[in-house]
Amino acid sequence: MPHDTRMTAIVCHAPKDYRVETIARPCAGRREMVIRIGACGICASDCKCWSGAKMFWGGNGAASWVKAPVVPGHEFFGYVEEMGEGAAEHFDVKIGDRVIAEQIVPCERCRYCRSGKYWMCEVHNIFGFQREVADGGMAQYMRIPPTAIVHRIPPELPLEDAAIIEPLACAIHAVTRGDIQLDDVVVIAGAGPIGLMMVQVAKLKTPRKLIVIDMVDERLALARRYGADVTINPKNDDALAIVKGLTDGYGCDVYVEATGSPSGATQGLELIRKLGRFVEFSVFGKDTTADWSIIGDRKELDVRGAHLGPYCYPIAIDLLSRGLVTSNGIVTHDYPLERWDEAIEVANSLDSIKVLMKP
């Protein structure tokens, strides 16, 4: 079927040089498909990349993670528009299905992919950062390559819920890494979009006490709505005194760091009890310095990283479908592609929580 060969897209050229352009519309090769984008969220990592954070663009001798020019966006979903030879059987989809692809495109050949740890793929192509495999979702259409991991989305799921499946999967993975028990006191630091999703997921684990820390009172109010027992604003409250007071002076059992600020990490080392579980989720914009003797000599902490949302997309879709997690209150703004400059400014401020781009 003939179709337009051009489309509108956001193209990243350099830090703070993202342009609305008309580019070639992708075509589906063998075992590939093209989806029509329904929405694509702006992630905190997109904001850091746009701002020029060195972990994306290289710094101190590090290799550049971004391979510009590239269409950004990894928090996308869309509708199957075109399928290449064998794609229907390969992805188990049909034209018109609403789908999402996980943010990583595994190589399927490295030791991590071959052992089922695909989210730590050594090649590590992520949609929206390197064009070699595929552009991201801030466009009208997007190509899904053969090694992508695709999931169908129920047609009745609201658009805003469908748009948060990717960050929700990340939140589920991070909370799971905390191994929350029924008698645990849990602290989630950072009530941004993913932090607020972590609150909803952690509440489903029914810990003894769920504490949320953030500097924005409006976000703390949302955290309480989602099930937080106690909220703390460090600008006004003594977080250490409050947490110690709730734990007989010991400290929290689980600390999940989702602030993206170095102070969130050092705060956690202070608030957590001996033998506690510290989950590091954030992508930091600058180096973090801490006294590592706290981890070993003083507290013997179990420090766990959390990266992406492996094996969590079906869980995210199920939780949203059952109404156990919601985007309501988290998705605050949406913009057409043509208003990118306004969208990124709002996303990179405290005036929003989650901003969506809608082609």
Side-chain angles (χ1 to χ4, degrees):
M1 179 183 295
H3 55 68
D4 293 337
T5 60
R6 308 288 285 175
M7 69 173 184
T8 302
I10 309 299
V11 180
C12 160
H13 291 272
K16 296 190 177 179
D17 184 7
Y18 286 47
R19 309 171 198 168
V20 181
E21 297 183 0
T22 300
I23 64 173
R25 173 181 155 162
C27 296
R30 183 174 180 274
R31 298 209 308 171
E32 294 183 343
M33 63 182 174
V34 171
I35 64 173
R36 174 174 55 83
I37 296 297
C40 184
I42 299 178
C43 176
S45 63
D46 292 317
C47 292
K48 289 185 172 74
C49 184
W50 173 83
S51 298
K54 68 181 182 181
M55 84 281 284
F56 295 106
W57 296 99
N60 295 338
S64 175
W65 178 248
V66 179
K67 303 294 190 298
V70 64
V71 176
H74 57 275
E75 294 186 0
F76 59 83
F77 81 90
Y79 304 84
V80 178
E81 183 86 2
E82 174 192 339
M83 288 189 284
E85 178 189 352
E89 298 78 16
H90 178 59
F91 290 119
D92 189 24
V93 297
K94 62 183 183 299
I95 295 293
D97 278 354
R98 188 158 61 153
V99 298
I100 185 170
E102 297 195 19
Q103 68 278 78
I104 190 166
V105 185
C107 75
E108 297 187 341
R109 292 187 296 273
C110 72
R111 64 181 294 180
Y112 302 109
C113 288
R114 291 167 67 92
S115 62
K117 308 296 192 298
Y118 67 90
W119 70 101
M120 296 307 298
C121 173
E122 187 69 11
V123 180
H124 218 74
N125 284 312
I126 301 284
F127 284 114
F129 292 101
Q130 309 94 14
R131 180 169 279 179
E132 291 94 327
V133 173
D135 279 318
M138 292 189 192
Q140 291 178 292
Y141 297 92
M142 178 179 176
R143 180 178 63 88
I144 305 298
T147 62
I149 303 171
V150 172
H151 306 277
R152 288 194 302 273
I153 303 172
E156 65 274 11
L157 199 68
L159 180 145
E160 288 77 14
D161 282 358
I164 69 161
I165 291 170
E166 187 275 342
L168 177 56
C170 293
I172 293 167
H173 181 54
V175 169
T176 301
R177 292 284 283 160
D179 192 23
I180 295 172
Q181 303 299 308
L182 295 174
D183 60 346
D184 281 341
V185 173
V186 178
V187 172
I188 295 175
I194 294 183
L196 289 168
M197 293 178 214
M198 290 176 181
V199 174
Q200 296 183 65
V201 175
K203 190 64 177 180
L204 296 175
K205 298 280 189 178
T206 62
R208 177 158 59 94
K209 196 76 73 178
L210 179 57
I211 304 168
V212 179
I213 303 176
D214 198 88
M215 306 280 278
V216 181
D217 287 333
E218 292 79 7
R219 296 186 177 193
L220 293 175
L222 266 180
R224 290 191 294 273
R225 173 175 143 192
Y226 296 145
D229 300 300
V230 178
T231 55
I232 299 171
N233 187 331
K235 290 191 296 187
N236 310 313
D237 308 318
D238 186 334
L240 181 61
I242 294 171
V243 172
K244 291 275 191 177
L246 293 169
T247 57
D248 296 324
Y250 287 101
C252 62
D253 303 282
V254 179
Y255 183 89
V256 182
E257 198 292 304
T259 68
S261 169
S263 61
T266 52
Q267 170 185 260
L269 295 176
E270 189 176 38
L271 298 184
I272 199 167
R273 67 165 171 84
K274 295 176 182 179
L275 302 174
R277 298 180 297 285
F278 187 116
V279 180
E280 181 51 67
F281 173 80
S282 290
V283 175
F284 292 98
K286 55 185 175 181
D287 292 344
T288 299
T289 301
D291 179 0
W292 270 51
S293 60
I294 297 172
I295 297 169
D297 183 61
R298 287 168 53 189
K299 292 190 175 182
E300 196 175 321
L301 299 177
D302 190 351
V303 180
R304 305 177 179 187
H307 179 57
L308 305 186
Y311 302 106
C312 293
Y313 281 66
I315 300 170
I317 293 168
D318 176 65
L319 292 179
L320 289 164
S321 296
R322 290 193 285 153
L324 295 174
V325 176
T326 181
S327 63
N328 188 277
I330 292 176
V331 175
T332 56
H333 296 74
D334 62 77
Y335 293 91
L337 296 173
E338 291 78 8
R339 292 174 62 189
W340 162 257
D341 290 338
E342 183 179 351
I344 188 63
E345 290 287 355
V346 171
N348 206 32
S349 73
L350 293 178
D351 296 330
S352 67
I353 298 179
K354 173 57 65 179
V355 175
L356 303 182
M357 303 302 298
K358 292 182 180 178

